[in-house]
Amino acid sequence: MKVSPAGHRRRQRSGIFAALLLFNLVLVLLQLWLFVGVLESLLDGKTTMAIPAAILSLVILGVNVWMLDGVVRLTRDV
């Protein structure tokens, strides 16, 4: 059975989308870990971890926005 080029592209898109979702899950878990770490640190009276964690959270936000733009472009080409 021969697969049409459109069907092959659709399979590639779904694979890319699944990979992006898995990567996003890793980023969400990392952000949750950061939040818990900062919260524990703040409860101990230490504020040194708050600023680096906030910067890393902004970086993660940037990566998520970049991935969202990629998904929008991927679905626009359909």
Side-chain angles (χ1 to χ4, degrees), residues 13 15 20 26 28 32-33 40 43-44 62 64 69 72 76:
R13 283 188 188 125
L20 287 174
V26 169
V28 166
L32 183 63
W33 176 69
E40 285 179 357
L43 288 175
D44 283 342
N64 278 323
D69 183 50
V72 168
R76 193 181 319 141

Side-chain angles (χ1 to χ4, degrees), residues 24-71:
N24 197 6
L25 177 66
V26 169
L27 290 177
V28 166
L29 290 175
L30 175 67
Q31 203 156 23
L32 183 63
W33 176 69
L34 275 172
F35 175 72
V36 169
V38 168
L39 192 58
E40 285 179 357
S41 171
L42 287 174
L43 288 175
D44 283 342
K46 302 172 189 165
T47 59
T48 58
M49 196 173 146
I51 298 298
I55 292 170
L56 189 57
S57 284
L58 288 174
V59 169
I60 291 173
L61 173 68
V63 170
N64 278 323
V65 168
W66 175 72
M67 286 192 319
L68 178 63
D69 183 50
V71 167

